[in-house]
Every structure is written in C-alpha cells, then in structure tokens.
Amino acid sequence: MQQSRTQCPSCPGCVSDSDCFPLAGLDTAACGSETPPLPQEGEASSHGCPNLTDRVKMRSTVMFYLCYLLCVAVGLACVACVCVWNSRWRGGFAWDGSGLQFNWHPVLMVTGLVVLYGYGAVLYRVPLTWGQNKLPWKLLHAALMLLSLILSVLGLCAVFDFHNAQKIANLYSLHSWIGIAAVALFAAQWTAGLAGFLLPCSPVWLRMLLKPVHVWLGGSILLLSVAACISGINEKLFFVLKANSSGGPYSSLPSEALLANSLGVLIVAFGLVVLKILSNTEWQRPESRPEGMAYTPLLQGEIE
Amino acid sequence: MQQSRTQCPSCPGCVSDSDCFPLAGLDTAACGSETPPLPQEGEASSHGCPNLTDRVKMRSTVMFYLCYLLCVAVGLACVACVCVWNSRWRGGFAWDGSGLQFNWHPVLMVTGLVVLYGYGAVLYRVPLTWGQNKLPWKLLHAALMLLSLILSVLGLCAVFDFHNAQKIANLYSLHSWIGIAAVALFAAQWTAGLAGFLLPCSPVWLRMLLKPVHVWLGGSILLLSVAACISGINEKLFFVLKANSSGGPYSSLPSEALLANSLGVLIVAFGLVVLKILSNTEWQRPESRPEGMAYTPLLQGEIE
C-alpha cells in the first residue's frame, strides 16, 4: 500500500546525487515502525534523489563483484594449496596403487567437488549474464558441474584403487560416508538437472517443483563437501604427522600442518562465500527471486 | 504491473475449492514466458478459486511444521546418540582430568553448538509467534543462544582441562581450529546481537546494517559447527578404535563406529534441515522477508 511521503528529515536540502546518502531514505524508520517503500526504477523519490534506486542497485552490483572476486581468489588459493601440499610434502603424483596415487584424491576432490562446483553454482548470479540469452549460461553451468562431477569421481577412483592395492577397507570412516553421500547426491542432482532443466520435453510444473529442491540440494551438497574435506584433511594429518616424521608430530604444528590446516580454513571460507552469494536474494537472477513467480520455458533461446 | 487475466486453461470448469489444484494457476506459464501474479489475499482469482492464496499459504505452513518437527526430532536424536555413545562405549562422565572428562566435550558441543543453536536459530520462523508481541520471542531466542554458548564454552573447558592434565597440546588440529573459530564467532555474534537488537539505545540504521550480517553469520556458524563435529567424531574414532580394541578396529565397523558414524550423519541432516528452514523466504517472519523493507523498533513491545 502506497504511504504518504514527506521530505526526508535526514537530508532536507538534498537536490543532487552527491548530497544524499544512499540509505538516507531508510532513516525515516526512526520516525515510526515502518520505512516508506523505495521508489520504483525511474521514479523520482520524494526528497530530490531521482537515482536512489539505481544507486542502491549499483551498490548491490559492486558488492556482488567484490564477493565474486573473493570467491574466485579463495577458490584458486584452495587449488594452489592442495597441489603444493601433495606435490611438495606428500611426494607428488602417480597412478600405481601407491601413496602417490592417493595424493590425487585430495587434489581432485578439492578442485572438483569444492572449487569448480562452487564456481558453477554461482554462475547465474553474475549480473553480466542477465540481459543475455540464458541458454549458453545454462549449458556452461551444466558443463562446469559435469567437469566437477568427473573430477570428483576420478578422485574417488584414486582412493578406492589405493585402498584396494594396499588391502585397506573402503567406506568405513565417517569422512568416507559424508564424502560418498556428497558425490552420490551430486550425481543425482546433475542427472535430475539435465532431465528437468535442459531437456525441452520436461513439463513446466515439474521444473517449478524441481527448482527449489535443486537450489536447496545444491547448497546442501556444498556443505557435505566442506565437511568431508575438513574431516579428510584432519584425518590425513593425524595419519602422516607422527613423532618420527621429519617435520615432527602434528601437535608441534610443522610447516606441512600449517599449510594443510590453512587449506582447511580456505575451504571453509570458500564455502561460506559461495553460500553468501547463493543466499542473497538481491543477487539472484531476476526471474528466480522469490517475489517473482515467473518461470520461462528452457532450451528455447529466451531473451530476458 | 497487473496483467490481464483469462480463464485458466488447466481447470476451466472449476467453481469450488475442491476442483482446483493449488498450483494450477501457475500452469499458464506453459502458454508463455511468464505466469500471472497470484491473487492478493482476500481477492478472488479469475478462475473461480477464491481461496487459492490462502491454500498456498496453508500448504506452506503445513510444510513448515513438518520440517520443524523433523528438525526437533533429528536434534533430539543427535543428543540421544552422543549421550549413549559416551556413556555406554566411552565409560561415562567425570570432571577429573581423565578421559571421562573428555567425554563431556562431544556431548556439550553437539547439544550446545549444534542442537540448541539450531533450535534457537529457527525460532522466529514458527508462524505461531508472528501475530504476537515479538519481545518475548526475542528474549527466548537470546536465552536459547546464551544457553547454547554456555554449553559450548563448558565443552571447550572440558577438552582444555583434559589436554592440560594429560600434557597434550591444544589447538593444533584442523578440527580444533574450525571448532574454536565457530565458538569465537558465536560469542561475537551473541554480543553484537545483544547490543544491536536488544538494547533500546541502538540506532535503527545500525540494526539494518547488522541484520543481514547477523542472519548470514548465524548460518555460517552452523556450517563451522557441523564441519567441526564431523572432523571431531572421525578423529576420535580413529584414536580409540584400534586393532586391539574390544570391538575391533574402526575399519571393521564395530557397533560403536556404526553409532558414532550415524551420529555424524544425523548432525549433517540436522544442519541441512535448519539451513532449509532458514533459507526459505516463505517461512520468514513477514517483516524480515526481502520484499519488505520494514524494520520495527525493538524492546518496545511491538505487536505485529
């Protein structure tokens, strides 16, 4: 319901953009229990700030790109850390059933199930993609997720092969239960996403039912991945950093432990930044926002 | 913008509530790229379903209470599992610097930092509380979170005391880094929440800046708690279930390992249900929804 508007008490004389603090209009909340609605796009506000909405949007976009930059940077730092840890401290890589084959496991899981997965998850949030045909971005989202899934499955193959060659049991630890659940749900999510959102024959009602589940399960898989990575790094460091290790036991925090613990912190930070980007409704692609009920048919080259 | 409405093609003859599928109106999306907006509360829809909005709301409320029931049940199951694990398999409890003191650590952290924390976080989502004075619910939220914080700090004291008595180093593992970060952020969050939302002198603009940070940090602390719990249970089972253990090594999955692994799965499930409840905008207290910009002064006994 439209409220009557009065001159803003916080900046009564403002006549130009530079006079007015972007959120100044919201200070009128102090006068009562509600704030007046923000002016619609292109509509002049009551206190002489014609571009208030545009500036709020601009601020939101700048904040998004700062968060997105952080997401990309922290993701790259995760990949760099896990590669350095396993190449410098764990002896490098091979595919021969030895401990060097195991080293592919953390590298592939962190790169695939965490970083590439996170990059794919936030793709639709990039405002640059909103004014364009959605189909190429949808295909890129599916391709990034497929690459992420392939790397994750390869990461599982690495550890299963290593365990089988060394006659170590599979899938008994809590780490393995959480990790395998993450990959299984991810495979189911990708398949359902392909069937529901990319195949043109899927009905609209199915997409509408599937979409909130797809979005929620997407975040849930990331939470599982992060929990699996933290428990896996923790377990590995207890296994390998003993009193007779060259750098000393884990409890003396040798440089390997510092690096791998930092990798864990970076993974958690990456997960939090991705979940922040996913949960901010202002950063959702316009047709996906909760106040809009519009759903567009897919694979039809729609322009939004 | 109001669109012109036509007879719903999916149920052209419906005249009563029982004739019309609640989401049938949304099927018109199949005819074009957008669906017409849902009728406002109390407004009759164009296809003879006067209570469509009410029924969508009712369905949302029923779904909430099912989720809430699941949240409460899974939380109680977590507490039961962690108590049974430590009393039956780990020898019970004491506060004497022995391993029995350590047993308080998982019990207090799971009960405080996960279950009570989750219960406190979703409190505002209960629709039963929306039509009432917000202040008692705000105080209950703060009290639940304070109790959760106190239990978490006691849980940390249990493990620090045990480590000090046994001359074991503190805060070197990734589990401990993530866990201490969760409790430190929780303490900061509680203090900022008290200052920002309960003290009447805090300005409205501060609350508006603080609220999205408070909500996001709330979810982030839960993610940290879950990751810390999973890595902690995993680490503990590797420590105590050796080849010479009475039930056999961890890799043979003795009943203790099955119970503790199940506890880990329940903790993850609890975290996911809580995050689902928190992230669903339909289940947010009306004035907190993203489309509404209203903020009410706190500690003023407001009725909403």
Side-chain angles (χ1 to χ4, degrees):
Chain A
M1 197 168 150
Q2 190 72 8
Q3 297 186 359
S4 63
R5 291 176 180 169
T6 56
Q7 189 75 7
C8 172
S10 60
C11 49
C14 74
V15 288
S16 68
D17 286 4
S18 58
D19 288 338
C20 191
F21 179 63
L23 286 174
L26 303 179
D27 284 347
T28 51
C31 313
S33 67
E34 288 201 358
T35 54
L38 283 173
Q40 297 301 304
E41 198 166 2
E43 180 188 351
S45 78
S46 61
H47 55 288
C49 300
N51 295 321
L52 177 62
T53 316
D54 288 347
R55 276 183 298 150
V56 170
K57 278 188 181 172
M58 176 65 74
R59 169 175 287 218
S60 171
T61 306
V62 169
M63 283 303 295
F64 169 81
Y65 278 111
L66 286 176
C67 251
Y68 188 64
L69 197 67
L70 187 67
C71 169
V72 172
V74 176
L76 290 176
C78 287
V79 175
C81 267
V82 73
C83 288
V84 169
W85 175 30
N86 285 280
S87 58
R88 179 164 169 194
W89 274 280
R90 296 284 105 227
F93 307 95
W95 200 276
D96 55 3
S98 73
L100 300 187
Q101 179 165 351
F102 176 88
N103 293 345
W104 281 113
H105 176 63
V107 169
L108 290 169
M109 301 317 278
V110 169
T111 308
L113 197 56
V114 177
V115 178
L116 264 181
Y117 182 91
Y119 287 173
V122 300
L123 186 70
Y124 285 138
R125 300 301 194 275
V126 182
L128 198 68
T129 70
W130 293 350
Q132 301 174 27
N133 188 327
K134 193 175 180 180
L135 184 58
W137 298 104
K138 194 172 299 216
L139 291 172
L140 182 59
H141 173 73
L144 273 174
M145 289 310 199
L146 181 61
L147 182 60
S148 159
L149 184 58
I150 290 170
L151 292 185
S152 308
V153 171
L154 280 176
L156 288 186
C157 290
V159 72
F160 277 100
D161 270 8
F162 164 72
H163 280 173
N164 294 339
Q166 306 289 328
K167 306 212 185 308
I168 299 171
N170 285 302
L171 295 178
Y172 64 89
S173 70
L174 180 55
H175 159 69
S176 64
W177 284 25
I178 302 293
I180 203 80
V183 178
L185 284 174
F186 184 16
Q189 167 92 327
W190 196 88
T191 311
L194 176 73
F197 301 117
L198 271 177
L199 296 187
C201 58
S202 79
V204 171
W205 64 263
L206 176 66
R207 288 174 189 170
M208 291 186 65
L209 283 179
L210 202 57
K211 191 162 182 182
V213 178
H214 190 78
V215 170
W216 174 70
L217 195 57
S220 302
I221 291 167
L222 188 65
L223 186 141
L224 286 168
S225 309
V226 170
C229 285
I230 298 306
S231 55
I233 295 167
N234 195 59
E235 171 186 322
K236 178 73 179 172
L237 291 173
F238 273 110
F239 279 165
V240 297
L241 297 178
K242 306 285 190 189
N244 56 358
S245 303
S246 60
Y250 192 8
S251 58
S252 69
L253 269 181
S255 48
E256 177 179 355
L258 275 177
L259 177 76
N261 278 6
S262 304
L263 167 63
V265 172
L266 283 171
I267 288 170
V268 170
F270 181 78
L272 294 183
V273 174
V274 169
L275 290 177
K276 169 70 188 168
I277 291 176
L278 293 180
S279 66
N280 192 333
T281 50
E282 281 179 22
W283 295 343
Q284 283 177 15
R285 197 176 166 91
E287 93 275 16
S288 304
R289 291 176 190 167
E291 64 268 31
M293 295 296 289
Y295 279 75
T296 52
L298 309 183
L299 264 190
Q300 295 184 16
E302 70 270 41
I303 306 274
E304 285 133 352
Chain B
M1 197 170 157
Q2 190 71 10
Q3 296 187 357
S4 64
R5 291 176 179 169
T6 57
Q7 188 75 7
C8 172
S10 60
C11 48
C14 74
V15 287
S16 67
D17 285 5
S18 58
D19 289 337
C20 190
F21 179 64
L23 286 174
L26 303 178
D27 283 346
T28 51
C31 313
S33 66
E34 287 201 359
T35 53
L38 284 173
Q40 296 304 302
E41 197 167 6
E43 180 188 352
S45 79
S46 61
H47 55 289
C49 301
N51 295 321
L52 177 62
T53 316
D54 288 347
R55 276 183 297 149
V56 170
K57 278 187 180 171
M58 176 64 74
R59 169 175 288 218
S60 170
T61 305
V62 170
M63 284 301 297
F64 169 81
Y65 277 111
L66 286 176
C67 252
Y68 188 64
L69 198 67
L70 187 68
C71 168
V72 172
V74 176
L76 290 176
C78 287
V79 175
C81 266
V82 75
C83 288
V84 169
W85 175 31
N86 285 279
S87 57
R88 178 164 170 195
W89 274 279
R90 294 286 105 227
F93 307 95
W95 200 275
D96 55 3
S98 72
L100 300 187
Q101 179 165 351
F102 176 88
N103 293 345
W104 281 114
H105 176 62
V107 169
L108 290 169
M109 300 318 276
V110 169
T111 308
L113 197 55
V114 177
V115 179
L116 265 182
Y117 182 91
Y119 287 173
V122 300
L123 186 70
Y124 286 139
R125 301 302 195 274
V126 182
L128 198 69
T129 71
W130 293 351
Q132 302 174 27
N133 187 325
K134 193 174 179 181
L135 184 59
W137 299 104
K138 194 172 297 214
L139 291 172
L140 183 58
H141 173 74
L144 273 174
M145 290 310 200
L146 182 61
L147 183 60
S148 159
L149 184 58
I150 290 170
L151 293 185
S152 309
V153 171
L154 280 175
L156 289 186
C157 289
V159 73
F160 277 99
D161 270 8
F162 164 73
H163 281 174
N164 294 340
Q166 306 288 327
K167 305 209 185 312
I168 299 171
N170 285 304
L171 294 178
Y172 63 89
S173 71
L174 180 55
H175 159 69
S176 64
W177 283 26
I178 302 295
I180 203 79
V183 178
L185 284 173
F186 185 16
Q189 167 92 328
W190 195 88
T191 312
L194 175 74
F197 301 117
L198 271 177
L199 297 187
C201 57
S202 78
V204 171
W205 64 263
L206 176 65
R207 289 174 188 169
M208 292 186 64
L209 283 178
L210 203 56
K211 191 162 183 182
V213 178
H214 190 77
V215 171
W216 174 71
L217 196 56
S220 303
I221 291 167
L222 188 65
L223 186 142
L224 286 168
S225 308
V226 169
C229 285
I230 298 305
S231 55
I233 295 168
N234 195 58
E235 170 186 324
K236 178 72 180 173
L237 291 172
F238 273 109
F239 279 165
V240 296
L241 297 178
K242 304 287 189 187
N244 56 358
S245 302
S246 60
Y250 192 7
S251 58
S252 69
L253 268 180
S255 48
E256 178 179 355
L258 274 176
L259 177 76
N261 278 7
S262 305
L263 167 64
V265 172
L266 284 171
I267 289 170
V268 170
F270 180 79
L272 294 183
V273 174
V274 169
L275 291 176
K276 168 71 187 166
I277 292 176
L278 293 180
S279 66
N280 192 333
T281 50
E282 282 178 22
W283 295 343
Q284 283 177 16
R285 200 178 164 90
E287 92 277 16
S288 303
R289 291 176 188 165
E291 64 267 33
M293 295 295 288
Y295 279 76
T296 51
L298 309 183
L299 265 189
Q300 293 182 18
E302 70 270 39
I303 306 273
E304 286 133 353

